[in-house]
Amino acid sequence: MGGKAVATGKDRQKQLAREHYERQMQRRQEREQKAKRAAIIGSTAGVVVVVGGIVTAVAMLGGNDTGTEAASSSTSPAATAQATAAAGPKPYDAKTGTCDYVADTSGGQVKDVGMPPTKVDTKPAEKTMTFKTNLGDIVVELNNAKAPCTTNSLEFLAEKNYYDGSKCHRLGSDNFPMLQCGDPTAKADGKSQDGSGGPGYVMAEENLQGAQYKRGVMAMAKTAAPGSTGSQFFLVYGDIGLTPDYTPVGTITKGLDILDKVNKAGVMADMGDGTGAPKQTVEIKDVTFAGKS
């Protein structure tokens, strides 16, 4: 008589419903965490929502901004995207050999060094970019043939000493293995709202067809909006399952051991998305180019 009670069919249904709900919530949390980690940010004020650890992914995913919701109620997503693309910088024009760099109107912190020349050359097909850091050299072979406007911009910024003295401000983890750099205003102290600095101009994304972000890739950071690539970039020391929205500009040929060392040291404080300012400071002392045509 004192045996274990047998669950009724109704009780079993309740149990299954509860387990289903718990699984849904777990998957939702996993998706949100992945989305937060995936919010690679660029060089505009709008990304302050995403940087510095206040990672709501609003800028990346559309969020709950009432203005966005109001706009979407009267305008189709396709029309909005079309209008955004029309207003933003145009991609590389192969017929004229020109790039389109436009003023960044988002209001981020600017280190103004002027605009890159719009006329570019896709030869040589590759150019070598060397970051001389306090931990040693990080060398990247840039894909000038497929990302000519991005390569041209990086070379221009290097010639203007734009990156000199800047610190890499965001480190991922084994789940999000990347080191983000290129904000000349970043303090990389784990406290500042790093990630909003840029050169005052933006450009269209390039080389996105089939883009993957595996160990050894250097890609450009951006916001959710198309045509928001600036000066910030991220160096991948693992494999990241990002959507193909960020310009893969080159391949790291030397210095992956430096990134592994920085990763091993960890972050000052997890900003809620598995990333944070690196404990091991990475300061870019100088940037040089080779392979000029």
Side-chain angles (χ1 to χ4, degrees):
M1 301 294 289
K4 187 176 180 181
V6 178
T8 65
K10 190 173 183 179
D11 290 337
R12 180 58 178 160
Q13 286 179 342
K14 287 182 179 179
Q15 182 182 353
L16 291 172
R18 184 171 61 252
E19 291 174 352
H20 177 68
Y21 173 75
E22 289 173 351
R23 287 196 298 272
Q24 281 186 320
M25 293 303 295
Q26 184 178 358
R27 285 195 292 268
R28 179 179 176 181
Q29 283 183 327
E30 290 172 352
R31 286 197 303 269
E32 289 177 350
Q33 190 73 359
K34 184 177 180 180
K36 289 175 181 180
R37 289 197 300 266
I40 298 290
I41 46 79
S43 53
T44 59
V47 299
V48 174
V49 179
V50 191
V51 299
I54 311 176
V55 187
T56 62
V58 172
M60 179 58 63
L61 304 176
N64 296 317
D65 182 74
T66 54
T68 301
E69 289 174 351
S72 63
S73 64
S74 60
T75 309
S76 71
T80 301
Q82 195 172 31
T84 302
K90 298 178 179 61
Y92 172 69
D93 187 336
K95 291 182 179 179
T96 60
T98 57
C99 296
D100 188 28
Y101 303 105
V102 302
D104 182 359
T105 58
S106 63
Q109 300 181 77
V110 173
K111 180 178 178 179
D112 189 0
V113 291
M115 289 273 197
T118 57
K119 189 75 173 179
V120 302
D121 191 349
T122 55
K123 296 179 181 179
E126 291 184 345
K127 292 188 177 184
T128 302
M129 185 179 193
T130 301
F131 296 97
K132 296 184 179 298
T133 80
N134 58 312
L135 301 177
D137 289 355
I138 298 175
V139 182
V140 183
E141 289 292 337
L142 300 181
N143 194 335
N144 187 43
K146 292 186 177 180
C149 298
T150 310
T151 300
N152 181 59
S153 173
L154 290 170
E155 188 168 6
F156 169 78
L157 293 174
E159 290 173 349
K160 297 292 184 179
N161 300 318
Y162 174 89
Y163 291 115
D164 295 8
S166 65
K167 295 179 180 178
C168 298
H169 62 276
R170 186 184 184 206
L171 177 70
S173 61
D174 291 336
N175 292 327
F176 194 52
M178 65 89 212
L179 178 67
Q180 187 166 332
C181 318
D183 175 359
T185 67
K187 294 181 174 60
D189 57 5
K191 301 176 183 178
S192 307
Q193 295 294 310
D194 292 341
S196 64
Y201 65 84
V202 290
M203 72 198 87
E205 287 68 52
E206 303 179 289
N207 194 26
L208 299 182
Q209 185 67 39
Q212 293 184 322
Y213 307 92
K214 296 183 177 295
R215 178 176 171 86
V217 168
M218 172 179 168
M220 303 302 294
K222 62 181 286 293
T223 67
S228 58
T229 296
S231 62
Q232 291 187 43
F233 57 90
F234 56 104
L235 305 170
V236 183
Y237 52 86
D239 293 348
I240 308 178
L242 289 170
T243 54
D245 297 314
Y246 312 90
T247 300
V249 68
T251 303
I252 302 168
T253 59
K254 179 183 178 182
L256 278 170
D257 58 326
I258 294 175
L259 300 180
D260 291 336
K261 177 181 177 181
V262 174
N263 177 51
K264 188 174 181 179
V267 298
M268 292 181 187
D270 189 329
M271 309 308 270
D273 65 341
T275 74
K279 285 184 179 179
Q280 173 63 68
T281 299
V282 183
E283 181 177 350
I284 298 173
K285 302 289 188 179
D286 188 32
V287 182
T288 59
F289 264 76
K292 294 182 180 180
S293 54

